[in-house]
Amino acid sequence: MRWLGLSILLVVATLAWATQECKNKPTCSQCIQTPNCMWCGKPGNFTNENGKGLSRCIKRTDELATEWRAQCGSLYIDEPGNYFENIVNNNLTAAGVLAGGSASGSGMSISGSSSEEAVVQIKPQRVQMRLRVQEAYNMQVTFRQAEDYPVDLYYLMDLSKSMEDDKESLSKLGVQLADEMQKITRNFKLGFGSFVDKVVMPYVSTVPERLLHPCTNCTAPYGFRNALPLTTNATAFAYEVQEAPVSGNLDAPEGGFDAIMQAIVCQDQIRWRSEARRLLVFSTDAGFHYAGDGKLGGIVKPNDGECHLNNKGEYTHSTLQDYPSVSQINQVAKQHKMNLIFAVTQEQSSVYSRLSQMIEGSGQGELTANSSNVVELVKAEYNKITSKVELKDNATAPVNIRYFSKCKDGTEKETSVCQGLKVGDQVEFRIEVTVEKCPEKREDWRQLIGIYPVGLRENLTIDLTMLCDCQCERPGDPGYIIGAEQCNYHGTYQCGVCKCDDGFFGSNCECGSNTPWATGDYDDSSCRETNSSAICSGRGTCTCGECKCNERDHSEEIVSGKFCECTNFLCDRHNGLLCSGPDHGECVCNECKCKPGWTGEACNCEDSESNCVNPDTGDICSNQGKCECNQCKCYETADGRYSGKWCEDCPTCKGKCIAYKACVQCQVFETGEFNIEECKANCTTFNSTPVPVAEVENEGERLCTFFDENDCRFTFVYGYDENKEPIVRVQQTLECPPKLDILGIVLGVIGAIVAVGLALLIMWKVLTTIHDRREFARFEKERMMAKWDTGENPIYKQATSTFKNPMYGGGK
């Protein structure tokens, strides 16, 4: 309920603020610059039927709006609304309608009619808007890519020596490139240009011989050359590529940025068509020089972004101007709706990939070593560009434009990009235009804003007028009177109110030359309570040195005081009620004045201490706290904060857990120090209530846990009811430790020892058996390999006997 009350209060406060925001606007222009406000310019005093003054600026949805309109009259109400009108709203080009010309079908030339029909891919084309500040207007924009939309493709090639093999491939594939593009659109033109670098040191060698022949079979270096303006003759393209000589330079980067700038800005020389998708294919195997690099060659003049081609198509300011910057390239690409395709080798792919992210409408593809895949690359990048539509605008502050679209998935989301489109696919965009605030300069109140698909010259033009003032504030209007009698001849009467001349003040310019405030910077200290206070506390106006307090929408709400410092509605609230309601108190000068029996800043506290008295001791908050709003606020000590309804539990005490322990045991479990008769006699102050789980549920309750004589744990919670009687909830189940089977444990241990012993004996027996068998097998193996008779001992030698006759002399 508390949160509900706060939410209601917040909504009411928001609505009240929005309403008051209108009523605080003193002029018609300030009124209509506030969302949903309207102004009454009725001459004279503007009052209701009872003579009470009405605010000239009021919210359209105000509860008094009906009465306000009736009293003002429709003739004097200034309530401008957003206005929208389609100025040019031609239908989109139907599918199958050619954008001028037809294909010859020969494959060697590309037909294109000189009388091109206008192609419409975005609708509407021009609208007019008049918008109020902070009141958004939504409009629908449709885009559909037309079939056979004209395409101009200019191939800009690096012709340094390292690109010689690439030139050969391109000359052979020129006709094939034209044929492939004709399959996409039959209104196609092709052009060719080449570049090397600035002809100064250290970019190229200035040795006379090297200037003529920087390398073998090379021509003299140059900056940029327009070899072939856009044409339908594919054979001429192949011929120009074939005949274009290569050249050479010293450093690795090339002068490609010079060439890109000239290829874009030289519209007439390149022969770019106004109604065509413009593709500039930039082919190289090296990096690029950019703004600032020209200083190495003594060239300090910045690039001017202008066309400097002579009648031979050569760039004449190569040695006079620095290279363009990335931002310059991006700017001219956006201005001339150019789609750049960077066709580079693998080594330079990462560099040009990052560059393409910085240039609107550009893409990047990877060439093979000799550019043999150039046709597939250009075709793939073209399909990537045309399968995506991205809307952008040139709106500046304070105009904010947001884009929403369902694209092709059917779910609307905030996006200005739709992808995966094919020729003929139609997408709808919802564009939300908002004027955030009125510019200071009146000439900025009207702007022309362009919304365009990236890479296309078509666009939607918004002629926007910001509604920042009222007609009756303009000289010549009947409601505009200079030196009017209503303003005591010291101001201009406009839209029913006075705009005072310098040195005069007041609602009717009554404060001025005959008062102490004759100068323009009059002293308003008499309307301030302190030097740092707002004039009339921000709730009134200072008129001739006195505060005139604002009137509130509700007659019950009153602003009063010398400085409008007092109100009867800005006091503290409780549950959404001012001073907790009329039964508790009333709001007097921004503070609650409580009625007897109530206290507190919002009169929401009972003026009593009955709920703070400890029933056991009779002390207020057990002398460990103070009584606020008839509730104990416990003190905090070094050991911790006291707790409990009456602060009866200290941080290091067990409270009444021990006192209630015996009674809880005998009442619920029939155990403990009391038997049944003793329990009835000694435990009369409370009755224990068994519950499945004993938990603290309310503030002031205490959780107690003990173990009985069987080591079983029991838990209970105690607290107090409204009558301060103890309430004890006991967990009905004991938590006892499991019983141990001693005999089973002993037998288990013995059995485990026997089992381990048997296992060890078996393992020993197995191991010895295995060992014996291995030894016997080794013996058998050696016996089988013996080379002697196994029946004899090879070591045994027979004894030899020698007999000699000593008498024998050896004679015959």
Side-chain angles (χ1 to χ4, degrees):
M1 291 299 292
R2 180 181 180 184
W3 288 110
L4 178 60
L6 291 175
S7 300
I8 295 174
L9 176 61
L10 180 61
V11 172
V12 172
T14 303
L15 294 176
W17 174 84
T19 301
Q20 197 66 26
E21 186 184 18
C22 292
K23 296 187 177 182
N24 289 335
K25 304 303 177 184
T27 65
C28 184
S29 58
Q30 292 179 359
C31 181
I32 68 168
Q33 289 181 32
T34 306
N36 297 314
C37 294
M38 54 185 179
W39 178 269
C40 178
K42 182 179 180 179
N45 294 328
F46 183 40
T47 62
N48 61 12
E49 296 178 351
N50 300 325
K52 181 181 178 181
L54 295 175
S55 175
R56 289 191 176 272
C57 186
I58 192 174
K59 200 171 185 67
R60 292 169 179 166
T61 56
D62 194 285
E63 58 184 8
L64 300 177
T66 302
E67 178 186 2
W68 186 91
R69 289 179 183 274
Q71 294 299 321
C72 181
S74 59
L75 182 63
Y76 298 106
I77 296 176
D78 211 316
E79 186 186 6
N82 291 341
Y83 171 82
F84 175 85
E85 180 183 2
N86 282 318
I87 304 301
V88 180
N89 191 26
N90 297 326
N91 291 328
L92 299 173
T93 300
V97 176
L98 300 183
S102 60
S104 66
S106 66
M108 300 302 290
S109 64
I110 312 163
S111 299
S113 173
S114 59
S115 59
E116 298 176 357
E117 301 177 7
V119 178
V120 180
Q121 297 184 113
I122 188 170
K123 179 183 180 181
Q125 295 80 44
R126 190 182 184 97
V127 300
Q128 185 178 25
M129 284 185 181
R130 291 198 292 269
L131 300 183
R132 289 185 59 173
V133 173
Q134 294 293 338
E135 293 189 7
Y137 187 86
N138 289 274
M139 62 174 292
Q140 293 295 124
V141 174
T142 305
F143 177 85
R144 183 173 66 205
Q145 185 179 170
E147 293 185 19
D148 290 311
Y149 191 75
V151 174
D152 290 346
L153 189 151
Y154 191 82
Y155 201 97
L156 185 57
M157 191 172 187
D158 173 11
L159 282 187
S160 57
K161 183 65 174 178
S162 59
M163 291 288 287
E164 187 172 15
D165 56 341
D166 301 80
K167 180 179 77 74
E168 297 298 329
S169 297
L170 182 61
S171 65
K172 297 177 182 178
L173 297 172
V175 175
Q176 181 183 347
L177 176 61
D179 289 341
E180 288 297 325
M181 292 302 295
Q182 272 191 300
K183 295 178 182 178
I184 300 174
T185 173
R186 287 170 285 182
N187 195 347
F188 175 65
K189 287 188 176 183
L190 195 62
F192 175 71
S194 59
F195 66 90
V196 182
D197 210 339
K198 294 182 183 296
V199 190
V200 294
M201 282 289 290
Y203 314 116
V204 301
S205 175
T206 55
V207 176
E209 296 80 7
R210 291 293 184 182
L211 281 176
L212 295 176
H213 302 287
C215 53
T216 305
N217 298 325
C218 292
T219 188
Y222 54 90
F224 164 69
R225 182 178 297 157
N226 177 27
L228 178 68
L230 291 166
T231 179
T232 58
N233 192 339
T235 304
F237 173 84
Y239 175 78
E240 289 294 340
V241 175
Q242 179 66 35
E243 294 299 317
V246 297
S247 185
N249 61 332
L250 294 179
D251 62 342
E254 314 292 3
F257 272 22
D258 273 343
I260 292 176
M261 177 63 74
Q262 295 303 303
I264 294 177
V265 299
C266 296
Q267 297 284 299
D268 296 335
Q269 290 85 341
I270 305 298
R271 298 177 188 171
W272 294 109
R273 290 178 288 181
S274 59
E275 297 297 334
R277 186 181 290 275
R278 302 172 172 186
L279 303 180
L280 179 59
V281 180
F282 181 87
S283 177
T284 184
D285 63 350
F288 51 84
H289 286 294
Y290 53 91
D293 287 358
K295 295 179 181 179
L296 297 174
I299 304 173
V300 297
K301 185 178 180 180
N303 195 286
D304 60 6
E306 300 293 335
C307 179
H308 298 288
L309 296 184
N310 59 20
N311 55 6
K312 296 181 180 179
E314 297 173 343
Y315 180 35
T316 59
H317 283 50
S318 176
T319 59
L320 302 178
Q321 292 185 357
D322 194 5
Y323 301 98
S325 65
V326 175
S327 62
Q328 282 182 297
I329 297 295
N330 180 52
Q331 182 180 358
V332 296
K334 288 171 57 178
Q335 178 183 351
H336 296 285
K337 311 301 180 186
M338 196 71 58
N339 293 116
L340 270 72
I341 299 176
F342 296 106
V344 297
T345 55
Q346 182 181 6
E347 293 78 9
Q348 302 297 328
S349 179
S350 61
V351 175
Y352 283 91
S353 176
R354 291 193 295 271
L355 177 62
S356 67
Q357 297 173 8
M358 305 174 68
I359 299 178
E360 182 178 294
S362 64
Q364 179 265 333
E366 192 172 300
L367 285 173
T368 56
N370 62 352
S371 298
S372 59
N373 68 327
V374 65
V375 175
E376 291 78 9
L377 188 151
V378 172
K379 185 178 178 181
E381 289 299 317
Y382 176 81
N383 289 333
K384 188 185 300 182
I385 292 172
T386 56
S387 66
K388 165 185 170 182
V389 58
E390 179 179 5
L391 296 187
K392 287 199 172 184
D393 59 76
N394 59 0
T396 57
V399 180
N400 180 41
I401 299 180
R402 299 172 64 191
Y403 300 89
F404 301 85
S405 179
K406 296 182 180 179
C407 291
K408 297 182 68 177
D409 60 4
T411 303
E412 185 179 76
K413 57 184 176 181
E414 185 170 356
T415 180
S416 62
V417 180
C418 285
Q419 298 180 334
L421 304 180
K422 299 179 181 178
V423 174
D425 286 346
Q426 180 171 307
V427 290
E428 302 285 341
F429 288 92
R430 177 170 64 87
I431 298 179
E432 181 184 278
V433 184
T434 306
V435 177
E436 301 291 346
K437 64 178 182 179
C438 286
E440 295 181 1
K441 297 181 180 179
R442 189 181 186 90
E443 56 266 26
D444 294 333
W445 291 0
R446 183 169 182 178
Q447 296 185 9
L448 282 179
I449 300 173
I451 297 177
Y452 57 91
V454 173
L456 295 177
R457 296 186 66 82
E458 299 177 67
N459 71 317
L460 161 63
T461 301
I462 299 178
D463 188 348
L464 174 64
T465 301
M466 305 178 194
L467 299 176
C468 296
D469 69 343
C470 303
Q471 183 65 35
C472 53
E473 292 178 318
R474 302 172 187 173
D477 188 86
Y480 187 93
I481 305 173
I482 301 176
E485 179 182 0
Q486 297 92 325
C487 305
N488 292 298
Y489 306 103
H490 296 305
T492 301
Y493 191 71
Q494 54 186 28
C495 302
V497 295
C498 288
K499 182 180 180 182
C500 300
D501 298 334
D502 292 341
F504 293 89
F505 308 92
S507 58
N508 300 107
C509 307
E510 66 272 20
C511 304
S513 57
N514 297 324
T515 69
W517 299 274
T519 61
D521 297 329
Y522 68 97
D523 183 11
D524 57 11
S525 60
S526 60
C527 293
R528 299 177 184 268
E529 190 170 7
T530 63
N531 291 336
S532 59
S533 299
I535 296 176
C536 299
S537 303
R539 304 188 188 102
T541 56
C542 186
T543 304
C544 298
E546 294 182 356
C547 285
K548 182 179 179 181
C549 300
N550 296 333
E551 294 185 358
R552 301 287 297 177
D553 299 333
H554 301 287
S555 57
E556 296 83 4
E557 297 181 354
I558 299 173
V559 180
S560 59
K562 180 181 179 180
F563 306 102
C564 303
E565 73 277 12
C566 292
T567 71
N568 67 343
F569 54 86
L570 291 181
C571 293
D572 290 329
R573 297 173 181 263
H574 180 68
N575 291 335
L577 297 177
L578 188 68
C579 297
S580 302
D583 295 335
H584 289 216
E586 60 179 338
C587 183
V588 179
C589 198
N590 306 329
E591 292 184 358
C592 287
K593 184 178 180 181
C594 300
K595 292 185 177 182
W598 298 98
T599 185
E601 294 181 354
C603 300
N604 58 317
C605 299
E606 295 182 38
D607 191 9
S608 172
E609 296 181 346
S610 58
N611 289 335
C612 296
V613 179
N614 189 324
D616 294 331
T617 63
D619 297 325
I620 294 177
C621 299
S622 304
N623 295 323
Q624 300 297 341
K626 59 181 178 179
C627 189
E628 295 181 358
C629 285
N630 208 12
Q631 297 290 330
C632 285
K633 301 296 181 181
C634 301
Y635 296 143
E636 186 172 2
T637 65
D639 295 328
R641 181 183 294 276
Y642 280 81
S643 60
K645 184 175 182 180
W646 300 284
C647 303
E648 71 276 15
D649 294 334
C650 68
T652 58
C653 298
K654 295 186 178 180
K656 295 186 178 181
C657 289
I658 296 178
Y660 291 161
K661 172 186 174 183
C663 292
V664 167
Q665 279 188 278
C666 69
Q667 287 181 352
V668 178
F669 306 109
E670 298 182 354
T671 60
E673 58 184 273
F674 295 152
N675 56 32
I676 297 177
E677 289 74 16
E678 291 174 336
C679 187
K680 292 180 180 180
N682 297 309
C683 302
T684 57
T685 57
F686 67 90
N687 289 318
S688 301
T689 303
V691 293
V693 179
E695 295 177 340
V696 175
E697 299 176 356
N698 303 310
E699 184 179 358
E701 291 184 338
R702 186 75 175 264
L703 180 67
C704 306
T705 302
F706 293 99
F707 290 89
D708 62 13
E709 56 274 13
N710 296 322
D711 288 333
C712 293
R713 185 172 65 177
F714 61 95
T715 305
F716 64 93
V717 174
Y718 73 88
Y720 299 91
D721 60 12
E722 296 178 354
N723 299 321
K724 302 177 183 178
E725 296 294 335
I727 299 175
V728 180
R729 299 191 306 275
V730 185
Q731 186 165 310
Q732 59 191 10
T733 57
L734 294 171
E735 298 179 12
C736 299
K739 294 182 179 180
L740 298 178
D741 187 358
I742 303 300
L743 180 61
I745 294 175
V746 172
L747 293 178
V749 172
I750 294 173
I753 294 173
V754 172
V756 170
L758 290 175
L760 292 175
L761 288 174
I762 292 172
M763 290 177 61
W764 174 80
K765 182 61 177 175
V766 170
L767 291 175
T768 55
T769 303
I770 293 173
H771 180 267
D772 292 343
R773 289 184 177 181
R774 285 181 177 177
E775 289 297 325
F776 180 76
R778 187 187 307 169
F779 169 76
E780 286 294 324
K781 182 177 180 182
E782 291 179 355
R783 189 175 64 84
M784 293 297 294
M785 295 175 62
K787 297 181 180 180
W788 58 84
D789 186 1
T790 56
E792 296 180 359
N793 188 344
I795 302 176
Y796 174 75
K797 296 290 185 180
Q798 288 286 344
T800 303
S801 300
T802 303
F803 298 94
K804 186 175 182 182
N805 189 351
M807 300 300 293
Y808 178 68
K812 293 183 178 180

